[in-house]
Amino acid sequence: MTIETTTFDAAKHLGDPEAQAIFLRDALETGDAGYIAHALGVIVRAKGMTQIARDAGLSREALYKALSPTGNPTLSTLLGVTKALNIRLEASAISVK
């Protein structure tokens, strides 16, 4: 018997703003720029790429490129996207032993 599989799309499961914040928080905690860009891309797709690009002052193509696996979004892009997503980035001290 052959097992049939389908592609998983996390964007379909991130309609809730709290779930989006948790996903992005997890990505930020890793410190992995690629994962952070990926997480932002998934959240943007969940909310609608075209509208978020417009709200962030970017073209849709520029936003796709910035949040692609090889993308490297600038700080201004990051801030524009998080503002368009209604997500606030926060900082906290890391305790060093």
Side-chain angles (χ1 to χ4, degrees), residues 6-85:
T6 59
T7 303
F8 176 76
D9 185 2
K12 293 180 181 178
H13 304 279
L14 288 174
D16 178 326
E18 186 60 30
Q20 295 166 1
I22 290 168
F23 184 45
L24 183 56
R25 189 177 311 123
D26 176 66
L28 290 167
E29 286 178 2
T30 68
D32 181 333
Y35 181 43
I36 295 166
H38 168 74
L40 274 173
V42 170
I43 295 167
V44 167
R45 283 189 302 107
K47 292 198 93 165
M49 184 67 74
T50 302
Q51 186 61 49
I52 297 300
R54 187 177 300 124
D55 293 347
L58 301 165
S59 72
R60 206 168 142 264
E61 293 77 21
L63 187 54
Y64 267 116
K65 183 177 178 181
L67 300 179
S68 73
T70 58
N72 189 12
T74 63
L75 181 57
S76 61
T77 297
L78 175 67
L79 295 175
V81 169
T82 56
K83 182 177 180 182
L85 290 170

Side-chain angles (χ1 to χ4, degrees), residues 83-94:
K83 182 177 180 182
L85 290 170
N86 295 315
I87 292 176
R88 178 180 54 232
L89 297 178
E90 296 181 352
S92 60
I94 299 172

